[in-house]
Amino acid sequence: QVRLVESGGGLVQTGGSLRLSCTVTGSIYSICIVAWYRQAPGKQRELVASAPTGARVIYADPVKGRFTISRDNAKNAVYLEMNSLKPEDTAVYSCGADVRPSSGGKCYAYWGQGTQVTVSS
């Protein structure tokens, strides 16, 4: 069974920084893609950044230049460094990963529980 556990959320003032972490545990042969999503109250979940294996990183336009996604493949972890935070960044941030549980198998999607990020004005 695969689990994703996020940490690092919290309350920060406008212009501040936070670093989110997500660790993938369980039956993992390889990780096909990891990504961060967010959902603000009353809004749909949106992609923040994704880091596919062997492909370039993708950022949503609102976070380009402020957020950085990175992976530590040895630890099966993904991070989201968030700088110059704005009140509109307030949301529940979740990591998602497509995981291949065995060699030659297909990838399956998994989600973490999410962590709250609140940016005060």
Side-chain angles (χ1 to χ4, degrees):
Q1 188 169 355
V2 175
R3 289 186 64 210
L4 279 65
V5 179
E6 302 102 333
S7 63
L11 173 65
V12 65
Q13 290 184 333
T14 297
S17 299
L18 283 174
R19 185 175 188 249
L20 305 183
S21 300
C22 174
T23 302
V24 185
T25 61
S27 179
I28 304 167
Y29 176 77
S30 64
I31 296 176
C32 306
I33 183 171
V34 288
W36 286 98
Y37 295 80
R38 68 185 181 185
Q39 186 168 20
K43 294 187 177 181
Q44 288 189 330
R45 183 169 59 193
E46 61 177 357
L47 176 69
V48 175
S50 68
T53 299
R56 67 185 183 93
V57 170
I58 298 173
Y59 293 98
D61 286 343
V63 307
K64 283 181 180 177
R66 300 187 297 122
F67 290 12
T68 302
I69 187 171
S70 60
R71 292 175 59 168
D72 184 336
N73 293 326
K75 297 180 179 179
N76 289 327
V78 59
Y79 308 99
L80 186 68
E81 187 75 35
M82 304 184 294
N83 298 313
S84 302
L85 282 162
K86 305 174 182 180
E88 50 264 44
D89 294 318
T90 295
V92 174
Y93 285 71
S94 302
C95 69
D98 287 0
V99 177
R100 182 178 287 112
S102 61
S103 175
K106 67 177 185 177
C107 295
Y108 297 88
Y110 297 90
W111 292 93
Q113 296 276 26
T115 183
Q116 177 69 45
V117 171
T118 303
V119 185
S120 63
S121 57

